Amino acid sequence: MLTLIIFIPLIAALALLFVNKDNTGTIRNISVGAAGLTFLTSLTLLSRFDSSLQGMQFTETLAWVPMFRINYQVGVDGISLWLVILTAFISLIAVCFSLDRQAGFRNFMALLLALEAGTLGVFMALDMILFYVFWELMLVPTYFLIGIWGEGKRVYATTKFVLYTLVGSLFMLLGIIWLGLIHFEATHEFSFDIQVLSHMKIDPADQVWLFLFFLSAFAIKIPIFPLHSWLPHAYISSPIPVLLLLTGAMSKAGAYGIIRFCLPLFPDAVDSFGLVIAFGAAAGIVYGAWIAVAQRDLKALVAYSSISHLGFIALGIFALNGEGIEGSVLQMVNHGIIASALFIIVGILEKRLGSRSLDDFRGLGKAMPLLYGMFMLITLAALGLPGLNGFVGEFLILMGVWTSLLLADLSAIYVLMAGLAIVFASIYMLYMFQGAMQEKNDKIPEGLADINSREFVLLLPACILVVLIGLYPKPFIDRVTPSVESILTLEKTLNLHAGEDKGGHH
Amino acid sequence: MGHQFVLLISATIFCVGAVGFLIRKNPLVMFMSVELMLNSVNFLLIGYSSFQNSMDGQIFALMIMTVAAAEVVVGLAIILTIFRTRHDMDVDHINTLKG
Amino acid sequence: MSWFGNGMSRKRAGLIGCGSVGLSFLITLIALVGFLLSEESEKGGVSTLYNWVTAGSFSLNMSILVDPLSVFMLLIITGVGFVIHIYSIGYMENDPEFSRFFSYLNFFIFSMSLLVLAADFFFLIVGWAFVGLASYLLIGFWKEKTSAVLAARKAFVMNVIGDVGMVIAAFIIFDHLGTLNFLEVFAAAKSTFRPNDDTILLITMFLLVGAFAKSAQIPLHTWLADAMEGPTPVSALIHAATMVTAGVYLIARCHVLYELAPFTMYLIASVGVVTAIFAGSMAMVQYDIKRVIAYSTMSQLGFMFLAVGVGMYSIAMFHLMTHAFFKALLFLSAGSVIHGLNDEQDIRKMGGLRHSMPVTHVTFLIGSLALAGFPLTSGFFSKEAIIINSYHADMGNIIFWAIAVLGAVMTGFYIFRVYFYVFSGQPQTDVHAHESPLIMIVPLGFLAFLSLTAGFGGGMIDSFLATYFGTNMPHPDDPILETIGLSAGLIGIVGAIGFYMTGKDGLEFAKQMLAPLYDLLFNKYYIDEIYDFLIVKPTRAIGAFLEKRVEKFGVDFAVDQVGVQTREVSRLISFWQSGSVRLYAFNMIVGVVTILMFVVFL
């Protein structure tokens, strides 16, 4: 089942390469079919998921490299379940959004589907080497997608992005191999299985290095301030469908990695470094928001606001309690929905008016009432209006931070920083929305059409989900809770065995 | 006595060959220096083979000579090709491999 | 409704809009009756709708709290709301976006109801934010007008500041008491905190940030005056009767917490009373009729905060109710004037409307009298009570009293100044004013009636709310202070009469004499400009700075330098690859010698 989900897009991508370049009909059918099929299959996962179990479900194992006991092993639990569904969903939307691309259509679609496959694999892999393979697999199509179909200084942006991420990934590879060796020393057997390794006791001094290695890869990916400077360039140069996947799914891979790897495996290191990293995250929240206030280019504005929101996600993780991590996971889903909807709207506007600067937009609401309504809804969700999904995530995260034991000394400051960023968010989001949609403009081109039915359908799920999750987040969180709790317990029991009591929590 | 003599001569000839290789610009002379170095080693081997009453040294010296011959063939062929096109007998001017 | 908007006929939109609110009002009335009939101990109850989320140790149910306080507020919200809805059918009849207006208005009523019915802090905050959203939508209703759009944004951003304050307060509460449910929090607070404990001070102050933002008290008040960009019914409903009173409601609801923090109470009273005269002074010189009434609202809210600040909760709620009546009346009457004069809002261009708009004249007069606290009007009873108690309550003092009296004088003055400008004398404009249609008059009449009579219900309200607040409010007997307080409003009215009677020259003379003071007041003490200078501009500047300098030359620079320096080093190393055979040979020999040294000497 899970293997199916990963490989449908991959096979479709390969199949596309055999299709004639000009046969747009077939290309369209294959891509949409593959993305749709993947999404539907992921939904069946949802229906058959048992939310009371703590461990991995739907696991599949296949021996790969027997000598080192590297297996092809995939599975999902509460945390990855939603991320898988989110990725499939965003990919479907990205595919549908790019159906009218002219140049290099076939190759674009193939790469997009490959990117989807890589991202799905990252969330499902249970073997560390497999995880690494999919991690790199995410990177390769992105390089080409941004480099060929991007805009502005695209080659510079994509090279920077890829090299920066690669540096982190290489460190992670070092860490993976080291972990394998540690296991070998302990048991005279290799194993790269995450679940097995999570139960190992690792020497605190080693933990520090291992944690830093893994963290470097994940912190660059999310990104956590100050390792974020690839993001503005990459986001601004990237074409919108790629951007949907980039911000909606790939950035979450970093956060997921921290939860899956760093927390259970390196608890001592997390305790030592958590406060500092959380500071980076909080700084990123304010930093991204503050720069967004001064932006006039819509895409740049949303890009910087993404830094801010992703900072929230990172902050929540390092609160190290149920509220924080669950809020973080929820916010991952939320941000995926909101950010992709925002970028779609930016893309629609750009397609209609040929520009992205707020200087050129004004008073469009009169001509596009439907877009006006949806844009407003998404804007409100983005700025964290209570009652919509953004607020739920932010509230849980900040609640977690405030009551966190790990961050106790600085938690109030972090929350205040986040509060400041929330006020900024209302400023720049409204600035964006009002600047584009309100006020009078006499120079609107004739025949400016409102969003057509295709675009409406693309935006509609986001709008519905935004309200739904905001009003009734329980089903989402319930499925996440057991897995988060198991990770937190792992994190604490290891400490207990080491003789220290870091408990005091539920 | 004999050992020192052999060692000394071998080392001297080797150094002469090495220095000659480094200093001269003409590729043919450089080759001759390489041959000098090889022969100095041969000398050493044969000398020690006689001291130790074993055939190993002489056999190895023969092998070295064979290899030297083969290498000279290849080297001279390369030199000929290069200088056929350039008509320049200065080794310093072949720097197209410059990084 | 906002999507099907233009397709729906006016009548139907109006019907649905008003009908839904009317229905709510009826239900509230039923609840009220139920309350009045039931036993003391049965009053109030919480009903849980569904479990909203459980994360970590944090569990939240969506539940409603129905108790005297919430029913009281709900009555005002739905009742006055219903009246204003009917009025709006007439006021907005020429507006092309009729249906959208009603959908937003309904959304507001929903949000405000959610706010007062919430059983815990979380949904209070949700309702709070929704109300802010409704306010934003309605202020910026005429979205083609730049000034309206900016005003809406200003209001919303200030509201968010309040939101953040409340959320932080919620965190502190949860951290210390483990729950956000009102009943549980209030029960636990008494046993957990000593009075003036640091934590309780923090909680109350953060909640105060929210209250001040919503109720436009200093220093978060600048949005209210600009909020007048919205249609007049909006100003009446939101910025007079209901939304801005949410702050007062919040403090009344959490009175248990505030009683544990006397310092904060003192702060509330002080800010309230200062805002009262601050706003009152500005109202005395404004020329836009709606602005005067807006500043008046700010001032009256200050009075309400003064009341809660000295612990007189049910009196504050009483004043809240009477204020809702007469302020809505004033706004709607002003709206009638504006509507009749084809959207003219400058009082210097009005005059002599006493004859052309008789009904509006009477209603406006009644509203003004009530506002000024003319004896026997509802405003008289409630304001009187506040002024007296500002001295006699346990936490009151003479300074509060004195400033409150000054505020009352100002109140009388500014509102009657407007009255005389608008209704007396000669018409200053050529536009022929006509009386408003019946659909606008009837609500006016209804509110006028209430403004006159509601005052007598003071005792009833007091006992109704007493079950929540725990005590009945005393009415102290102090003849001297009562007389002074009584006459305060009258002095103001007389002042206005005298002022107006001196004629134009006298006015000019006075203006020149007091020019600096006049400028200060007219320009709202330059607070907007100060804020712009201290906050808005630096924020933008820092944002740009961060991008240009820090990003380009700092972080990004560092990353790029990694690449650049690597290339530099490569370039330096590449000199070694000279292509020269001799150099290579030399390298080889050096290498061999080094190895030999190692072998020989190690």
Side-chain angles (χ1 to χ4, degrees):
Chain A
M1 171 72 73
L2 290 184
T3 316
L4 214 63
I5 297 183
I6 301 180
F7 281 100
I8 291 179
L10 201 54
I11 296 176
L14 288 171
L16 273 178
L17 290 175
F18 291 109
V19 174
N20 188 351
K21 249 185 248 212
D22 301 314
N23 195 347
T24 44
T26 319
I27 302 179
R28 234 175 255 185
N29 291 338
I30 295 185
S31 357
V32 175
L37 201 55
T38 318
F39 180 56
L40 286 172
T41 330
S42 62
L43 283 180
T44 60
L45 275 185
L46 178 59
S47 63
R48 293 207 266 152
F49 189 80
D50 185 344
S51 38
S52 53
L53 291 179
Q54 273 200 348
M56 292 285 167
Q57 303 181 24
F58 303 108
T59 50
E60 291 165 23
T61 312
L62 198 65
W64 193 13
V65 180
M67 181 161 89
F68 291 115
R69 294 280 193 91
I70 302 177
N71 299 324
Y72 172 87
Q73 199 171 8
V74 289
V76 290
D77 68 351
I79 302 173
S80 34
L81 173 72
W82 292 113
L83 293 171
V84 167
I85 299 179
L86 177 73
T87 310
F89 172 68
I90 294 185
S91 310
L92 181 59
I93 296 199
V95 165
C96 292
F97 190 74
S98 44
L99 283 181
D100 53 0
R101 182 167 292 271
Q102 267 97 24
F105 185 50
R106 180 195 73 182
N107 296 338
F108 186 84
M109 283 307 191
L111 286 170
L112 205 60
L113 286 170
L115 177 58
E116 176 186 1
T119 320
L120 285 168
V122 163
F123 290 130
M124 292 198 242
L126 288 181
D127 180 289
M128 302 189 77
I129 300 283
L130 187 65
F131 178 81
Y132 183 76
V133 168
F134 278 120
W135 185 269
E136 299 301 333
L137 188 55
M138 278 198 302
L139 216 44
V140 174
T142 318
Y143 177 75
F144 290 110
L145 283 168
I146 301 182
I148 304 180
W149 286 277
E151 55 191 26
K153 296 200 302 182
R154 55 183 194 253
V155 178
Y156 166 76
T158 194
T159 314
K160 187 170 197 171
F161 166 59
V162 168
L163 284 179
Y164 209 150
T165 318
L166 262 178
V167 167
S169 312
L170 282 173
F171 280 119
M172 181 165 78
L173 183 62
L174 271 179
I176 293 179
I177 297 178
W178 190 354
L179 263 182
L181 285 175
I182 292 183
H183 188 263
F184 183 72
E185 279 170 13
T187 62
H188 289 287
E189 261 177 14
F190 275 110
S191 167
F192 287 96
D193 186 340
I194 297 180
Q195 293 160 303
V196 169
L197 290 173
S198 312
H199 289 95
M200 251 178 17
K201 265 269 309 136
I202 307 178
D203 181 43
D206 287 345
Q207 270 191 35
V208 168
W209 285 106
L210 281 168
F211 177 69
L212 285 176
F213 285 163
F214 275 91
L215 186 72
S216 61
F218 299 138
I220 294 178
K221 193 61 138 184
I222 299 179
I224 301 183
F225 182 91
L227 299 171
H228 64 280
S229 48
W230 59 267
L231 192 144
H233 302 286
Y235 275 35
I236 296 179
S237 305
S238 167
I240 302 272
V242 179
L243 197 49
L244 293 181
L245 267 173
L246 191 55
T247 187
M250 279 172 72
S251 51
K252 314 302 181 296
Y256 170 77
I258 297 186
I259 299 181
R260 177 69 74 218
F261 291 91
C262 298
L263 292 187
L265 287 168
F266 318 123
D268 293 315
V270 169
D271 276 333
S272 327
F273 288 109
L275 200 57
V276 175
I277 302 175
F279 182 74
I285 299 179
V286 178
Y287 185 77
W290 216 327
I291 297 189
V293 170
Q295 291 301 316
R296 298 207 69 85
D297 177 354
L298 278 185
K299 212 171 176 190
L301 198 152
V302 183
Y304 280 109
S305 83
S306 273
I307 298 185
S308 188
H309 286 124
L310 291 166
F312 264 105
I313 296 177
L315 187 62
I317 298 179
F318 286 100
L320 277 192
N321 51 22
E323 296 94 10
I325 301 187
E326 284 168 30
S328 195
V329 175
L330 182 63
Q331 195 67 344
M332 287 192 222
V333 174
N334 289 341
H335 178 258
I337 300 174
I338 297 177
S340 46
L342 272 176
F343 278 119
I344 292 182
I345 293 178
V346 172
I348 293 178
L349 285 174
E350 194 178 7
K351 229 184 263 186
R352 294 277 195 287
L353 289 154
S355 132
R356 277 202 316 256
S357 168
L358 274 175
D359 297 322
D360 298 328
F361 291 163
R362 196 175 280 206
L364 298 171
K366 202 168 174 58
M368 306 167 104
L370 211 52
L371 183 63
Y372 181 87
M374 294 183 128
F375 196 178
M376 180 178 326
L377 187 60
I378 303 288
T379 304
L380 292 171
L383 60 84
L385 185 79
L388 296 178
N389 62 354
F391 177 70
V392 182
E394 284 173 3
F395 186 82
L396 280 174
I397 290 177
L398 290 180
M399 172 85 84
V401 170
W402 189 274
T403 56
S404 159
L405 289 179
L406 179 66
L407 305 178
D409 305 325
L410 289 179
S411 61
I413 300 193
Y414 291 160
V415 172
L416 282 171
M417 285 165 86
L420 183 65
I422 294 180
V423 177
F424 282 157
S426 65
I427 296 179
Y428 64 71
M429 275 291 151
L430 281 183
Y431 181 58
M432 170 173 89
F433 172 69
Q434 289 183 321
M437 288 278 137
Q438 301 190 333
E439 306 185 26
K440 216 199 261 286
N441 187 354
D442 301 318
K443 287 187 280 164
I444 304 182
E446 288 300 318
L448 185 66
D450 199 356
I451 53 178
N452 55 35
S453 53
R454 188 166 70 92
E455 290 156 348
F456 178 73
V457 166
L458 286 180
L459 281 176
L460 189 63
C463 292
I464 296 180
L465 280 172
V466 151
V467 176
L468 208 62
I469 301 184
L471 291 178
Y472 192 46
K474 190 164 192 305
F476 290 84
I477 297 201
D478 274 350
R479 290 190 169 76
V480 175
T481 308
S483 320
V484 171
E485 271 174 15
S486 76
I487 290 190
L488 282 174
T489 343
L490 265 178
E491 196 243 346
K492 282 169 195 92
T493 43
L494 282 180
N495 286 334
L496 252 70
H497 288 160
E500 290 172 287
D501 184 20
K502 297 270 199 294
H505 252 286
H506 342 278
Chain B
M1 296 115 46
H3 294 257
Q4 288 162 334
F5 187 59
V6 167
L7 280 168
L8 205 53
I9 293 194
S10 178
T12 316
I13 299 183
F14 187 86
C15 289
V16 168
V19 170
F21 183 77
L22 287 173
I23 292 186
R24 300 298 290 257
K25 288 200 297 189
N26 192 316
L28 288 174
V29 176
M30 286 168 82
F31 252 98
M32 287 196 280
S33 316
V34 170
E35 290 302 316
L36 257 185
M37 285 195 275
L38 284 169
N39 278 310
S40 77
V41 171
N42 279 347
F43 185 71
L44 187 65
L45 278 168
I46 297 175
Y48 266 90
S49 122
S50 110
F51 290 143
Q52 292 175 352
N53 289 319
S54 137
M55 297 299 287
D56 297 342
Q58 294 174 34
I59 297 179
F60 197 56
L62 273 175
M63 268 188 59
I64 292 184
M65 275 192 242
T66 319
V67 170
E71 161 222 332
V72 162
V73 164
V74 174
L76 281 177
I78 293 179
I79 296 183
L80 270 176
T81 323
I82 292 179
F83 287 100
R84 214 178 266 171
T85 46
R86 285 167 183 255
H87 306 292
D88 179 5
M89 295 290 266
D90 187 339
V91 139
D92 284 336
H93 293 172
I94 320 172
N95 53 9
T96 29
L97 271 181
K98 185 176 166 65
Chain C
M1 255 171 94
S2 64
W3 277 6
F4 298 117
N6 288 333
M8 208 185 269
S9 78
R10 304 255 150 144
K11 240 172 131 207
R12 207 186 303 161
L15 216 66
I16 296 183
C18 293
S20 52
V21 180
L23 202 57
S24 311
F25 183 54
L26 272 166
I27 298 181
T28 317
L29 278 177
I30 296 176
L32 173 66
V33 170
F35 261 107
L36 291 176
L37 293 179
S38 65
E39 289 294 320
E40 276 274 337
S41 57
E42 278 175 27
K43 283 203 173 123
V46 181
S47 72
T48 305
L49 288 181
Y50 57 88
N51 181 268
W52 190 77
V53 73
T54 308
S57 62
F58 174 68
S59 175
L60 196 58
N61 293 321
M62 166 134 206
S63 30
I64 310 182
L65 175 66
V66 181
D67 72 351
L69 186 61
S70 55
V71 170
F72 180 75
M73 290 291 295
L74 211 52
L75 272 174
I76 301 178
I77 297 169
T78 52
V80 177
F82 180 60
V83 165
I84 296 182
H85 268 76
I86 298 185
Y87 176 91
S88 309
I89 299 183
Y91 190 82
M92 301 293 287
E93 65 190 354
N94 294 326
D95 196 295
E97 302 196 63
F98 191 74
S99 320
R100 191 159 72 94
F101 185 74
F102 276 96
S103 71
Y104 287 166
L105 218 56
N106 276 12
F107 175 65
F108 171 77
I109 301 277
F110 161 70
S111 326
M112 194 73 202
S113 311
L114 179 63
L115 201 160
V116 301
L117 282 175
D120 52 58
F121 280 97
F122 186 82
F123 282 100
L124 177 75
I125 295 178
V126 173
W128 200 268
F130 276 173
V131 167
L133 174 65
S135 170
Y136 163 78
L137 289 172
L138 285 164
I139 296 176
F141 182 70
W142 288 316
K143 56 190 195 314
E144 315 268 294
K145 263 172 86 182
T146 313
S147 54
V149 169
L150 289 176
R153 197 192 314 167
K154 190 179 198 176
F156 192 79
V157 174
M158 289 210 159
N159 191 65
V160 171
I161 298 180
D163 275 349
V164 171
M166 307 233 309
V167 166
I168 296 183
F171 288 159
I172 306 181
I173 293 177
F174 183 74
D175 198 18
H176 285 266
L177 297 174
T179 171
L180 286 180
N181 188 300
F182 281 150
L183 297 176
E184 292 170 23
V185 168
F186 297 148
K190 279 192 224 171
S191 45
T192 322
F193 296 115
R194 298 184 325 271
N196 268 339
D197 185 279
D198 281 341
T199 317
I200 197 75
L201 278 183
L202 274 179
I203 296 179
T204 50
M205 299 257 216
F206 274 116
L207 285 176
L208 213 56
V209 172
F212 281 170
K214 189 68 83 182
S215 303
Q217 301 293 295
I218 300 175
L220 293 166
H221 64 280
T222 51
W223 64 272
L224 187 59
D226 293 338
M228 295 300 118
E229 295 283 343
T232 312
V234 171
S235 309
L237 181 59
I238 298 187
H239 305 127
T242 44
M243 180 179 111
V244 292
T245 56
V248 183
Y249 163 77
L250 176 68
I251 301 181
R253 170 65 76 200
C254 302
H255 69 96
V256 172
L257 296 176
Y258 281 94
E259 273 157 15
L260 288 168
F263 176 72
T264 318
M265 297 264 272
Y266 190 73
L267 187 67
I268 299 177
S270 318
V271 173
V273 84
V274 167
T275 308
I277 52 168
F278 178 75
S281 60
M282 290 197 279
M284 294 199 292
V285 297
Q286 294 296 326
Y287 286 122
D288 180 346
I289 189 173
K290 283 177 68 174
R291 262 182 203 242
V292 174
I293 307 183
Y295 283 122
S296 164
T297 304
M298 208 191 290
S299 176
Q300 294 305 305
L301 284 169
F303 273 99
M304 286 183 231
F305 275 102
L306 170 62
V308 287
V310 297
M312 300 286 116
Y313 304 108
S314 55
I315 295 185
M317 299 310 284
F318 181 39
H319 192 57
L320 197 154
M321 183 180 85
T322 61
H323 174 261
F325 295 147
F326 59 69
K327 192 49 67 63
L329 177 62
L330 278 172
F331 263 117
L332 293 186
S333 309
S336 175
V337 168
I338 296 173
H339 190 77
L341 286 176
N342 288 339
D343 293 333
E344 179 57 64
Q345 289 184 225
D346 191 330
I347 55 178
R348 291 171 293 189
K349 298 213 180 78
M350 307 174 188
L353 289 175
R354 185 171 47 199
H355 310 289
S356 34
M357 302 177 85
V359 181
T360 310
H361 167 238
V362 169
T363 57
F364 194 88
L365 183 59
I366 295 179
S368 310
L369 289 172
L371 177 57
F374 194 81
L376 296 187
T377 58
S378 58
F380 166 70
F381 285 105
S382 53
K383 200 185 289 192
E384 239 321 278
I386 295 184
I387 295 181
I388 271 293
N389 279 304
S390 63
Y391 177 61
H392 278 282
D394 291 332
M395 300 174 65
N397 61 49
I398 198 70
I399 303 186
F400 283 161
W401 178 86
I403 303 182
V405 169
L406 181 61
V409 174
M410 286 186 185
T411 309
F413 180 77
Y414 63 65
I415 197 65
F416 271 89
R417 166 176 171 267
V418 172
Y419 170 76
F420 284 124
Y421 259 105
V422 175
F423 291 102
S424 313
Q426 301 306 312
Q428 302 290 321
T429 171
D430 292 328
V431 178
H432 179 66
H434 55 276
E435 186 57 82
S436 300
L438 201 63
I439 197 160
M440 287 167 64
I441 298 287
V442 169
L444 285 179
F446 185 62
L447 285 173
F449 172 71
L450 282 174
S451 304
L452 285 176
T453 57
F456 300 103
M460 254 182 6
I461 294 178
D462 194 40
S463 51
F464 180 66
L465 291 174
T467 50
Y468 185 70
F469 292 125
T471 84
N472 278 328
M473 298 302 151
H475 195 88
D477 247 331
D478 188 339
I480 307 180
L481 292 184
E482 270 203 53
T483 328
I484 302 185
L486 221 153
S487 40
L490 292 174
I491 296 177
I493 300 178
V494 167
I497 298 180
F499 188 75
Y500 186 75
M501 290 307 179
T502 58
K504 281 285 171 342
D505 298 326
L507 287 174
E508 284 305 312
F509 182 67
K511 228 193 269 187
Q512 269 162 10
M513 287 290 308
L514 300 167
L517 186 62
Y518 180 76
D519 270 333
L520 192 65
L521 291 178
F522 190 66
N523 286 311
K524 304 163 277 163
Y525 294 89
Y526 291 108
I527 291 216
D528 269 328
E529 286 74 16
I530 297 178
Y531 277 173
D532 190 48
F533 182 68
L534 281 180
I535 299 180
V536 177
K537 288 220 165 38
T539 311
R540 281 258 169 82
I542 295 183
F545 168 75
L546 281 178
E547 192 203 3
K548 296 280 177 312
R549 299 256 138 215
V550 174
E551 190 75 2
K552 265 206 188 46
F553 292 106
V555 180
D556 221 12
F557 188 65
V559 173
D560 281 347
Q561 282 305 303
V562 170
V564 168
Q565 293 309 324
T566 314
R567 273 208 297 268
E568 275 303 303
V569 170
S570 300
R571 202 166 62 82
L572 286 173
I573 297 183
S574 73
F575 283 134
W576 216 356
Q577 297 291 317
S578 60
S580 155
V581 179
R582 295 206 279 165
L583 192 61
Y584 296 161
F586 182 62
N587 292 338
M588 277 188 246
I589 296 190
V590 167
V592 169
V593 168
T594 320
I595 294 180
L596 273 177
M597 304 268 258
F598 268 111
V599 168
V600 167
F601 291 118
L602 285 176

